[in-house]
Amino acid sequence: MTVTVNGAPAAANKAFNTTGAWTSWSTTGLTATLRAGANTIRATATTATGGPNVDHLSVETGTTPPPTGTTPAAVNGQLTVCGTKLCNRYGKPVQLRGMSTHGTQWYAQCLTGGSLDALAKDWNADVLRVSTYVQEDGYETDPQKFTDLAHSLIEQATARGMYVIVDWHMLDPGDPHYNLARAKTFFTAIANRHKGKSNILYEIANEPNGVAWSRIKSYAEQIIPVIRTIDSDAPVLVGTRAWSSLGVSDGANETEVVTDPVNATNIMYTFHFYAASHRAEYLDALSRAADRIPVFVTEFGTQDYAGEGADDFAQSQKYLDLMAAKKISWVNWNFSDDHRSGAVFKTGTCNNNGPWTGTGSLKPAGVWIRDRIRTADDFPTG
C-alpha cells in the first residue's frame, strides 16, 4: 500500500507480507512526521488484488524540534481550518498577511524576481494572492497562457517561502456557474501541478454578485470535489454573496452562510472590504461572522470600493485591529502600479523595473500597508 500523512507521501508501495491465515497477525511500521492535533493517514492499495486486512493503527510519538526554516511556509507547514481559525502544522491559530496581484493580464510586469524578493524579504509578507481574471481579457482568451502564468507565480512565491492563494477572479458576470466548466479545467491543472506543496490555498470564486447564496453554495459544492480528488489537504476559500461582503452589500448579513454552510470540510469564507466605503455595518458583520464561521479577508483596500479616492487609514486600522484580535488572515489589494490610489506602487514603477525595496516608489497606501505587513508575525510552534 502507499501511505500518505496529511497528503504528503510517507511510504510508496510499502510491503505487507502475507501471514498465511486469518488467525495469524504481523506488525509493520514506518516513521513519519505528525503535527499537533488531528492528522489524516491514508493507505491506498497498489496491487490488483487490493491491500491487506488492516486490524488497527497505533502511534508511538516522539518529539521533533521545530523546522529550521524561517519563512512563513517553512515555519507553519500545511495549514488546516480548525474551528473558526486557520491553524498551522502544530494546530495553532495563525494570521497570514500579504498582498494580492492585480489582474495578471494587465500587470504581469509588476511581478518580477526583484518585486517578489522585495515582497518576501523587505515587506516580510506571508502570502501572495495570484489573481487570474476569467473575463476582462483574462483566462477565457487564452487558458493555457494564463494557467502557465499562474504556475510560474506559484513556483516563484513558493521558492521565497510564501503561501499562495490561487484566485479564480470571476467578477462579471457575477454568477460563478457561468464559468463552472472553465473553473473545473483551471483548478484541475493547478491542483495536479502543485498537489505536493503545502503552501497552497484555493480561492474558487472571487466576488459572486447578483445571485443568491444558494447559487454560490451549489457552485462550491461542485468545484471543491474537483480539487479534493487531487489535493486533499489544501484549504479552499469560498466567495460570499454581494461581492464577498457576506451579503451585506445586498442588505443581508452573515446569517445565510452560518445557517446554510457549504457541505465540505477544511474551507473558509471570504470577506472583502474597502474602508472608505464600507463602514460600521460591514465591520460589525465581519466581527460577528468570525465568531461563528472561518473567515479569510482575501481582498481589502484603504480607499473606496473601486480602489480609488482618498485613503481612510483610521477606518482601515479598525479593521486591522479586529482582524489581529480574532486572527483573521488578510490580503491587501493590490501589488501593482495601477493609476488608482489602491495600487501600492507609483505609476511607472513596474515599467522601470523598480526600485522595489523601501518606500521611495510607494504611494501613501503602499507605505501604510507595508508598515503593517512588516510587523513581526505571531506563529506559535509550541
Side-chain angles (χ1 to χ4, degrees), residues 28-266:
T28 187
L30 60 88
T31 300
T33 300
L34 303 180
R35 61 191 178 208
N39 291 262
T40 300
I41 300 174
R42 179 175 287 108
T44 306
T46 58
T47 62
T49 54
N53 296 291
V54 178
D55 178 56
H56 71 277
L57 170 71
S58 62
V59 178
E60 298 178 359
T61 59
T63 57
T64 303
T68 56
T70 58
T71 67
V75 172
N76 293 296
Q78 179 65 62
L79 302 175
T80 307
V81 180
C82 55
T84 60
K85 308 299 183 186
L86 186 62
C87 294
N88 64 12
R89 71 170 89 192
Y90 304 100
K92 304 293 185 181
V94 296
Q95 182 194 39
L96 303 183
R97 298 170 298 168
M99 292 297 302
S100 176
T101 73
H102 205 316
T104 54
Q105 75 274 38
W106 300 314
Y107 291 97
Q109 70 273 19
C110 297
L111 305 168
T112 69
S115 71
L116 294 176
D117 278 344
L119 184 62
K121 300 172 185 177
D122 181 50
W123 293 49
N124 298 330
D126 306 319
V127 57
L128 174 70
R129 181 185 188 231
V130 176
S131 293
T132 300
Y133 276 67
V134 190
Q135 277 72 49
E136 301 181 63
D137 300 322
Y139 176 88
E140 68 176 1
T141 66
D142 192 338
Q144 191 61 56
K145 171 186 173 181
F146 287 102
T147 301
D148 288 344
L149 183 53
H151 284 323
S152 175
L153 292 170
I154 292 167
E155 297 289 2
Q156 292 182 69
T158 299
R160 291 163 173 81
M162 291 187 286
Y163 287 94
V164 185
I165 297 172
V166 184
D167 166 34
W168 184 243
H169 205 86
M170 50 72 52
L171 182 61
D172 183 18
D175 184 350
H177 281 271
Y178 180 84
N179 289 304
L180 178 61
R182 295 184 184 98
K184 287 182 177 180
T185 300
F186 176 74
F187 283 114
T188 296
I190 295 295
N192 273 319
R193 172 79 167 265
H194 304 286
K195 61 187 176 183
K197 296 181 173 65
S198 60
N199 65 320
I200 309 297
L201 301 93
Y202 299 92
E203 184 176 0
I204 59 175
N206 166 56
E207 288 188 347
N209 59 90
V211 293
W213 166 243
S214 60
R215 187 77 172 158
I216 303 165
K217 178 186 173 186
S218 69
Y219 164 83
E221 290 175 348
Q222 292 180 68
I223 288 295
I224 292 172
V226 172
I227 296 170
R228 288 277 187 261
T229 298
I230 305 165
D231 186 344
S232 59
D233 294 311
V236 174
L237 311 178
V238 179
T240 59
R241 182 153 71 102
W243 299 276
S244 285
S245 70
L246 290 166
V248 179
S249 291
D250 272 352
N253 58 43
E254 75 285 352
T255 303
E256 62 186 17
V257 180
V258 173
T259 59
D260 189 23
V262 171
N263 183 23
T265 59
N266 202 25

Side-chain angles (χ1 to χ4, degrees), residues 19-25 53:
T19 63
W22 285 99
T23 53
S24 299
W25 301 89
N53 296 291

Side-chain angles (χ1 to χ4, degrees), residues 7-20:
N13 293 313
K14 183 170 180 59
F16 289 77
N17 295 325
T18 182
T19 63

Side-chain angles (χ1 to χ4, degrees), residues 302-316:
T302 56
Q303 315 76 30
D304 67 16
Y305 64 86
E308 298 180 312
D311 295 292
D312 190 336
F313 294 137
Q315 181 71 7
S316 299

